[in-house]
Amino acid sequence: MDADLSDSKKPAINFIREIIDKDLVTNKYNQKVHTRFPPEPNGYLHIGHAKSICLNFGIAIDYNGQCNLRFDDTNPSKEEIEYVNSIQEDVHWLGFDWEDRLFYASDYFERLYNCAVQLIKDGKAFVCDLTADQLREYRGTLTEAGKNSPYRNRSIEENLTRFEKMKNGDFPDGTHTLRAKIDMASPNLNMRDPVIYRILKVPHHRTGDTWYIYPMYDFAHGISDAYEGITHSICTLEFEDHRPLYDWFLNELNFKHHPQQIEFARLNLTYTVMSKRKLLQLVEEKIVDGWDDPRMPTISGLRRRGYSPESIRNFCDRIGVAKRENVIDVALLEHSIREDLNKKAQRVMGVLRPMKVVIINYPEHQTEELEAVNNPEDPSMGSRKVIFSRELYIEKDDFKEDPPKKYFRLSPGNEVRLRYGYIIKYVDAIKDASGEIIEVHCTYDPETKSGSAQSQRKVKGTIHWVSANNNISSEVRLYDRLFNTEIPEGKGKDFRENLNPKSLEILSDCKLEMFLKDTKPGETFQFERQGYFCLDKHSSNKNLVFNRTVALRDSWTKIENQK
RNA sequence: UGCCCCGUGGUGUAAUUGGCAACACGUCUGACUCUGGAUCAGAAAAGUUUAGGUUCGAGCCCUAACGGGGCAGCCA
């Protein structure tokens, strides 16, 4: 188990840990704590899975136990090898390690089959010839009991031979099922003689074409847990009604080890969707650029966006674990990544929407090197030199000919400091034919050089800049929330109607400090006054591409928006 | 209309297991600042869905109601 998860400082008690604590006191599982993370490989992992991963692996770490990674691959018609690979990558990236305990439900197909045979021999399961439609009719409704299948009382021998034939592929898909013999009148529909095996003549990504029948989740899951010695089988709320069935299989098959299923509420996030079905839809309809589009709430999307594993783990710690439905404000996720990057990200100046500034009293061919701090939060990160010159770029937004109240940046009559440099004063604005400002002329005060003895003069604002002939051009992608309503998945309506058309803005000619040309993937930067950025995976030497992870908190636009 | 689960500030999660509700995010002030960032100080915000009951005392226990969610795949 990865021991370097130093951010997991506080135990963060929750109802699941209380259950475990109690089990330890009563010695229910001989002082063992063994969990598992059981994804189905039918999609990429998302931030909701991260909650489950942090929960399961986190408990194992804190209780000195173990956590398995087990693929719940019992439905080959939906599952793919691409997903099993991405899932492993994502769990590792998050910082967790299953060591040698990588399992697949398909590892147990033979044993699962034998369990089914045992159930038949004990008269607790039967082969049913009802079609899917008939099965639904026989099941009854939420308020009415179901009816027994006409095939319910077949002899054990007949069941055995028919199940054997199912296994051998003698029947077409959908013609037969193996069902547990429980109670068609149970108020819990899951107990109304549930299907435990179905015919699926589909090749499996691991077992190939050796099986024509596949076990259902309810049958496979508990038994797999028991085989692996899982003590606490943690799953989401919708499986609550399945727990009696989980227990039934283990009891009827006389398992000596009986894991405890515990259910918790899945994560919901504002301004996003979390269901795999909807995420798949976004990918397939090309609404986003694949599973790892930086706007996706997938682990791979967050990674490409620039989120760190630490920040996601901290986020998962903060949201807690409980049984009630919840919707977490994305602002909490954003806070988690800002908190982390504030401490770690190298500061740099980058002008996203450049406008030229000419310092008219600065000598034409002179340049000088100015000292710039790499991270005020961490002096050990040192400093660097930035080139100052007569012609610079500043942010379009940082000059206003006719400024609103409380505007602290450059404007006629209002001085600003150029960060790490001099204080400058407006002289003139050059406009194009359409009246748009294309260049601003200023003077600088040589006495105010940053760090010099006379640099103490106070000005309200400091703006970032970059030398006009010493910079690197780059594409920058500004990401915003994918949806413009808090809860995009309203019942009945199409979640795609709430897509935010401005969730991606591409800026093509941004001017960045020169040294950014040697950026390596994985490095994170704060573009001062703007946000945190990282190199996109499609970036190249020819065409630099930076992704904005998250903007800095911005009290100015807040003031602006209030008006 | 059957069964199961859940109701604590705007959002989440706590409350030494019965002792007059805390923390985080967010919001709002103010200070500081060569990032309108960060940091610091402070404020507003729930009397715990409601009504009964037990108790000296209930967010924690009991009952009922109300509200929200889940369940009728040969999905997981």
Side-chain angles (χ1 to χ4, degrees), chain A residues 312-323:
Chain A
I312 294 175
R313 277 186 253 130
N314 282 150
F315 171 75
C316 290
D317 281 349
R318 265 188 265 249
I319 60 178
V321 180
K323 295 197 71 158

Side-chain angles (χ1 to χ4, degrees), chain A residues 384-410:
Chain A
R384 67 188 187 285
K385 305 290 190 195
V386 292
I387 305 292
F388 188 79
S389 58
R390 176 181 159 98
E391 298 199 354
L392 312 168
Y393 289 113
I394 67 166
E395 212 68 55
K396 268 200 182 89
D397 267 3
D398 286 342
F399 173 74
K400 285 256 191 309
E401 197 171 24
D402 187 18
K405 286 174 288 294
K406 291 173 77 181
Y407 183 83
F408 299 154
R409 288 111 95 161
L410 187 64

Side-chain angles (χ1 to χ4, degrees), chain A residues 242-252 258-261:
Chain A
H242 295 239
R243 192 177 348 119
L245 185 53
Y246 182 105
D247 291 332
W248 189 89
F249 287 126
L250 294 183
N251 288 147
E252 300 306 318
H258 192 133
Q260 174 66 51
Q261 178 180 305

